[in-house]
Amino acid sequence: MLAIKLRQIGKKHQKTFRIVVAEKRSKMSAVIDDLGFWNPHTNKFEIKKEKVEHWLKNGAQPTDSVHNILINAKAIEGKKIPMHKTPVKTEETPKPETTPETASVA
């Protein structure tokens, strides 16, 4: 299965990313096609929209990060996917207090 994902380039603390089409489950797989770049430090990106549309029609699935970048670039339409998954806080139900009467019954 093909995926549109980010491939890291650049030095430490100066990372930039290429947006590429590659196999979904492999980190070191060969790049099939180069679709653009994204610099997270300046939030600058450049995307080849025609190539993105071609790969999406052929079944490539974008990762969550790439999906949000494509929405910013107006290459696709839809809602952004939240990136930080915070745990849902549930209200704790108070535990019934044990009284000496109920403790001796058990």
Side-chain angles (χ1 to χ4, degrees):
M1 176 178 253
L2 296 176
I4 302 173
K5 57 186 184 177
L6 298 173
R7 170 74 43 108
Q8 177 183 323
I9 59 173
K11 298 189 246 181
K12 276 187 185 178
H13 308 294
Q14 295 179 6
K15 297 176 186 174
T16 59
F17 297 91
R18 302 293 304 171
I19 300 171
V20 298
V21 177
E23 285 294 321
K24 185 172 187 170
R25 297 216 175 238
S26 178
K27 291 183 180 180
M28 299 302 290
S29 65
V31 173
I32 297 171
D33 199 359
D34 185 16
L35 305 178
F37 73 90
W38 174 55
N39 185 347
H41 303 290
T42 61
N43 204 18
K44 184 178 179 183
F45 54 84
E46 183 178 313
I47 296 174
K48 300 172 187 169
K49 293 180 183 180
E50 299 83 25
K51 285 187 174 187
V52 170
E53 291 172 3
H54 167 75
W55 284 108
L56 290 174
K57 287 179 185 175
N58 288 331
Q61 296 293 317
T63 61
D64 292 346
S65 300
V66 172
H67 176 82
N68 292 341
I69 293 169
L70 293 176
I71 289 175
N72 284 343
K74 298 190 180 9
I76 61 173
E77 293 184 11
K79 291 187 176 183
K80 287 188 176 183
I81 299 172
M83 297 304 298
H84 300 289
K85 297 178 181 171
T86 56
V88 177
K89 292 184 180 179
T90 58
E91 294 183 22
E92 295 182 19
T93 56
K95 295 181 181 179
E97 295 182 20
T98 56
T99 60
E101 298 167 357
T102 58
S104 62
V105 174

